[in-house]
Amino acid sequence: MVVVALLFLQAPHGGAFYWSDAPRHALNGVFVKDLLLDLPLDDPAGYAYRYYAQYPALTILFYPPLFYAISAPFYALLGVSHETALFVVFLHYVAYGLGCFTLARFWLSAISSLAFALLMVLLPEIAFWGRQVMLEIPAFAFLVWSAVALLQYVRGSPVGWLYLCAGLLVCALYTKISVAYVGLVYFIVLLQREGLGLVRNKHVYVVGLLSVVALVPLAVLTVKFGQANVQSVTGVADTVASRLSLEAWIWYARQIPAQVGWPLTVLAGLGFGYACALARAQSSSLEPLRFWALWFAIGYLFFSSIDLKEARHSVFLLAAVVFVAVWFLDSVLPRKWASGALCLVVASTAAATVLDRPVFYVKGYAEVVDMIAKQAPRDSVVLFSGYRDGSFIFNMRTREDRRDLSVLRADKILLSVAVRRELGVEEKNLSEAEIAQTLNDNGVHYVVMQPGFWSDLEAMRRFERVMATPQFEEVARIATPANHKAHEIELVVYRNLGKVGPKPAKLNIELKIINRQITVQ
């Protein structure tokens, strides 16, 4: 808990988001809180669409909803802020670390289990994504404890542990769908334990049926609103390697040294070789390795078969790599030497994470929102044009005193983007005069623009030329300092001096991410 708390002292906060999904995950929890407080029982779908029209970074149905449901009461108690969202992730992170310790205790000594847990908390890849408002660590927390429950059952504990295992795995799926492969791991472990007797175990059927029923809503949400996720499995235009190529099947293996560090990578390789040698001698000490071999092999095949490749997707596999490394030291060295070696590995991993893998941030968005909040007329609209629209929109929602303000995204009126630009973009043929009039018609009093954003597109170049006309007055330029090579260096704020009308009675919004178009009053 202390180590996680120290890690979170380095977590970016105050609205300085980096990854585009993070502010959207944060906003989704705020939406659930607002939904529960407002209780629009007569038209919940219309409420969601209107909410999106005001804060167009909402992705509530695109991702599984459990993390957002957990976040909602914390927002209600602590207020809507980046810090509150991070606190919810922090609680999951602590649970995840404690779960790693408990899981390792099935096979390792207390000291070695503590080393395993600390390493799992401190891994560069884990700590990078775990200190942002992302879903990997919350899902991993449920997953680790489901594995603990499974092993309790396998080792002779009452059947209630099997039900708990299934329930926690369902919770993990309702946090992040990609952990689904672990279900096959658990089935094989149960089959190894009970053999053909598994087909006569009525509890297995009950657990399976309850799990299927519990997952039906998630399946419906995925089919109706998660087509982009399905596409990432079946084929994406910007894949780094075709699934039919060797490169695709070694891609995740090549990420491991950067994800865990070279010391652990080398130790895991030595541990694998040592385990192969023991396997020839049919050693009984390989029981934990069989579990982790299943965990890694099935997960590796699963993630490699998905077209969209990102290193963070495979963080769930890293537990197997770390366990083999710790097990190797614990097995080949005397207890005192093993403890010292584990301390060195933990210290080197901590140093690599803290010094070489800080969490990225981009500041300035909260400052822009504060300035807009002081100057924008009541019930007006702010147009945003830039890469980090989610960061701007979430920061806008944190201003409880300006819930009257709405955000309109420039890409929604100038372009048609298929989820992300790499998957396709169409430009709308609006002239400069039409763009200026559209802003007036939509009640836009202020514009926040990232200079040069997608300026290779003619529609965006026209938009920038409109900002340079006498209709728009430059109010401020606010720097966006970052600790990495960010897309932007500043945001420019403009005031619309034209004849701005009230907000339109209707908005036609294209939602490519869920493949539908809506009309919102």
Side-chain angles (χ1 to χ4, degrees):
M1 292 175 67
V2 170
V3 169
V4 175
L6 291 174
L7 278 176
F8 267 73
L9 291 178
Q10 286 190 315
H13 56 281
F17 294 96
Y18 154 65
W19 194 249
S20 61
D21 288 341
R24 286 168 164 78
H25 293 316
L27 182 66
N28 291 344
V30 181
F31 166 78
V32 173
K33 187 270 293 184
D34 290 339
L35 178 73
L36 294 175
L37 292 179
D38 295 339
L39 280 180
L41 300 178
D42 56 328
D43 186 18
Y47 178 89
Y49 291 145
R50 290 189 295 274
Y51 201 98
Y52 180 89
Q54 184 175 9
Y55 303 111
L58 192 66
T59 54
I60 186 65
L61 297 179
F62 181 67
Y63 297 104
L66 183 57
F67 178 76
Y68 315 134
I70 294 173
S71 301
F74 289 93
Y75 282 126
L77 290 171
L78 304 176
V80 176
S81 68
H82 189 178
E83 289 75 14
T84 299
L86 282 172
F87 180 68
V88 179
V89 179
F90 167 81
L91 294 178
H92 284 88
Y93 210 138
V94 171
Y96 153 80
L98 295 174
C100 287
F101 174 80
T102 307
L103 183 59
R105 284 294 287 133
F106 284 103
W107 304 291
L108 301 175
S109 66
I111 293 297
S112 297
S113 297
L114 180 59
F116 172 76
L118 288 172
L119 287 168
M120 289 303 298
V121 163
L122 290 165
L123 289 182
E125 193 76 19
I126 294 287
F128 183 83
W129 296 107
R131 288 176 290 172
Q132 302 181 63
V133 189
M134 298 293 286
L135 302 180
E136 280 74 22
I137 290 301
F140 215 159
F142 286 112
L143 194 59
V144 166
W145 282 104
S146 75
V148 169
L150 175 77
L151 291 172
Q152 284 282 14
Y153 171 71
V154 166
R155 296 202 170 194
S157 294
V159 73
W161 287 98
L162 181 61
Y163 286 87
L164 179 60
C165 167
L168 290 170
L169 181 56
V170 167
C171 288
L173 281 161
Y174 267 94
T175 306
K176 192 168 180 66
I177 296 177
S178 58
V179 301
Y181 79 91
V182 176
L184 179 58
V185 176
Y186 291 175
F187 176 77
I188 295 175
V189 170
L190 290 172
L191 192 61
Q192 289 174 337
R193 173 187 182 263
E194 301 188 18
L196 294 178
L198 188 67
V199 300
R200 297 189 295 271
N201 187 335
K202 64 179 181 180
H203 292 289
V204 172
Y205 293 101
V206 175
V207 166
L209 179 61
L210 291 175
S211 299
V212 169
V213 171
L215 291 172
V216 166
L218 182 61
V220 172
L221 288 175
T222 302
V223 170
K224 289 190 66 175
F225 304 109
Q227 289 305 305
N229 285 329
V230 175
Q231 184 184 8
S232 71
V233 175
T234 58
V236 291
D238 59 335
T239 181
V240 297
S242 168
R243 280 179 294 169
L244 302 179
S245 67
L246 175 63
E247 184 182 358
W249 292 94
I250 65 172
W251 194 86
Y252 280 110
R254 293 170 60 187
Q255 311 309 311
I256 290 175
Q259 290 178 306
V260 304
W262 275 108
L264 281 171
T265 302
V266 172
L267 287 171
L270 293 174
F272 177 74
Y274 181 64
C276 291
L278 290 180
R280 292 195 187 95
Q282 297 182 339
S283 173
S284 60
S285 64
L286 292 179
E287 186 259 333
L289 278 258
R290 296 188 185 97
F291 175 83
W292 289 112
L294 276 173
W295 184 285
F296 185 87
I298 293 175
Y300 193 91
L301 291 173
F302 175 78
F303 290 114
S304 296
S305 65
I306 295 174
D307 248 19
L308 183 63
K309 298 288 191 293
E310 289 184 12
R312 66 184 173 92
H313 293 166
S314 67
V315 294
F316 307 106
L317 307 183
L318 303 182
V321 176
V322 175
F323 184 88
V324 171
V326 173
W327 170 84
F328 173 67
L329 289 177
D330 195 58
S331 300
V332 301
L333 295 178
R335 180 60 55 86
K336 185 179 295 185
W337 287 18
S339 299
L342 288 170
C343 285
L344 287 175
V345 174
V346 170
S348 67
T349 302
T353 295
V354 172
L355 300 177
D356 296 334
R357 197 77 190 275
V359 182
F360 293 157
Y361 63 77
V362 181
K363 298 180 179 180
Y365 286 81
E367 289 82 353
V368 173
V369 166
D370 289 343
M371 193 198 79
I372 293 290
K374 293 175 182 176
Q375 299 185 21
R378 187 116 191 123
D379 296 319
S380 62
V381 176
V382 181
L383 183 82
F384 181 84
S385 175
Y387 179 77
R388 251 167 275 276
D389 52 81
S391 185
F392 179 80
I393 292 166
F394 179 81
N395 278 290
M396 183 66 76
R397 175 57 190 85
T398 63
R399 291 298 302 253
E400 296 287 358
D401 58 327
R402 294 310 311 263
R403 292 289 304 278
D404 58 296
L405 296 178
S406 299
V407 179
L408 183 64
R409 284 165 46 185
D411 60 295
K412 291 294 184 182
I413 61 175
L414 300 174
L415 308 169
S416 178
V417 184
V419 183
R420 62 182 188 274
R421 184 178 171 180
E422 293 79 4
L423 300 183
V425 58
E426 297 177 10
E427 300 181 58
K428 297 179 181 178
N429 192 26
L430 295 176
S431 67
E432 293 177 26
E434 288 173 327
I435 292 173
Q437 189 58 46
T438 298
L439 301 190
N440 289 341
D441 293 343
N442 282 278
V444 174
H445 283 268
Y446 280 86
V447 174
V448 178
M449 184 187 77
Q450 172 189 328
F453 174 64
W454 289 0
S455 57
D456 58 312
L457 301 176
E458 177 57 30
M460 301 306 293
R461 288 198 294 270
R462 288 195 202 108
F463 171 72
E464 291 208 10
R465 289 197 292 269
V466 169
M467 293 299 104
T469 64
Q471 180 179 335
F472 291 89
E473 173 192 21
E474 183 179 317
V475 176
R477 288 179 177 261
I478 296 180
T480 55
N483 62 344
H484 68 289
K485 188 177 180 180
H487 292 82
E488 69 274 46
I489 60 173
E490 65 178 358
L491 296 172
V492 184
V493 181
Y494 295 93
R495 181 186 294 115
N496 188 353
L497 303 178
K499 296 181 179 179
V500 182
K503 284 191 289 186
K506 291 184 179 180
L507 279 176
N508 294 314
I509 302 176
E510 190 176 31
L511 301 176
K512 285 277 190 177
I513 199 168
I514 59 174
N515 197 29
R516 64 181 58 198
Q517 185 163 330
I518 62 172
T519 299
V520 183
Q521 293 286 346

